[in-house]
Amino acid sequence: MATACSSPPAGRARWTLDLLADEMVRLTDHDDPSRETVRRRLAENDLKPWRKEMWCIPQVDGEYVARMEDVLDLYAEAPDPKRPVVCFDESPTQLIGEVRQPIPAAPGQIERYDCEYKRNGTANLLVFLDVHRGWRKVKVTDSRAAVDFAACMRELTDVHFPKAERIRVVLDNLSTHSAGALYQAFPPAEARQVLRRLEFHYVPKHASWLNMVEIEMACCAASASIDVSATANTSSLRSPPGNDSATPHAPASNGCSQPKKPAPS
């Protein structure tokens, strides 16, 4: 088991059953263990050395713990309409079109689509999520620069929560997620007016999973689709059903659904 958890031999990307069997012969008194014997031993210990998973490994220090506890305390608070807690994040999305018409599903046959596709540019999803009442807003933009972040924050204060005294915003450490972004986008007096009603709470670095909106964005990626307008060169994003969800217009594109396809060779 220790061998299976170690690095594979030089020139090999991962352990295989045959490699592990050969290594057992070299390291032990076993004559020639079968692949099935090796497989059973691995299964007994719930080991799959040929698999690996990309993971964001944080450095857990005082700063990490302080930010984590700050965010968790916000989530644990009772709902307060005057001081809502709103998670914010953004993600680029590639718009992909079909080259050939997919073959619809039929009894005994799943839907089929061609591996070749065409690129129709990208869009950016900027997503808000109210932690305590399930409300969310999806905004689609051409870019995700500082001015786009600033516009979202102004909409948060002026449009979505006009009666709130202070909006606590949970967000990650992207360079555009700063108070300075509002001063880049608006005159100083207007930027100050918006910032007086905002309170930024940053998740720890390499811990964006503490931001609840990450879950919402995963749902959007799995369930949303891009609809093509039959009368104009525009498309719109459909977010999954939810309380007061938004279905904004996306940037001009001939985009359609976004299936997971391999890159064409």
Side-chain angles (χ1 to χ4, degrees), residues 63 109 183:
E63 180 69 16
Q109 177 179 291
Y183 285 90

Side-chain angles (χ1 to χ4, degrees), residues 43-64:
E44 289 170 0
N45 291 273
D46 195 24
L47 281 175
K48 299 178 181 179
W50 51 88
R51 296 184 61 187
K52 59 182 179 180
E53 185 178 42
M54 182 179 291
W55 196 255
C56 189
I57 304 174
Q59 179 181 351
V60 181
D61 53 15
E63 180 69 16
Y64 183 101

Side-chain angles (χ1 to χ4, degrees), residues 136-158:
R136 52 94 151 71
K137 165 82 173 181
V138 182
K139 182 178 181 180
V140 185
T141 64
D142 287 305
S143 61
R144 52 177 185 148
V147 293
D148 299 299
F149 171 74
C152 284
M153 293 301 104
R154 184 170 62 178
E155 290 178 16
L156 194 62
T157 59
D158 297 356

Side-chain angles (χ1 to χ4, degrees), residues 92-96 119-124 140-143 250-253:
T93 299
Q94 185 178 8
L95 302 178
I96 293 176
R119 302 178 187 275
N120 292 309
T122 60
N124 294 282
V140 185
T141 64
D142 287 305
S143 61
S253 167

Side-chain angles (χ1 to χ4, degrees), residues 27 78 99 125 153 185 247:
L27 296 175
V99 174
L125 307 184
M153 293 301 104
T247 54

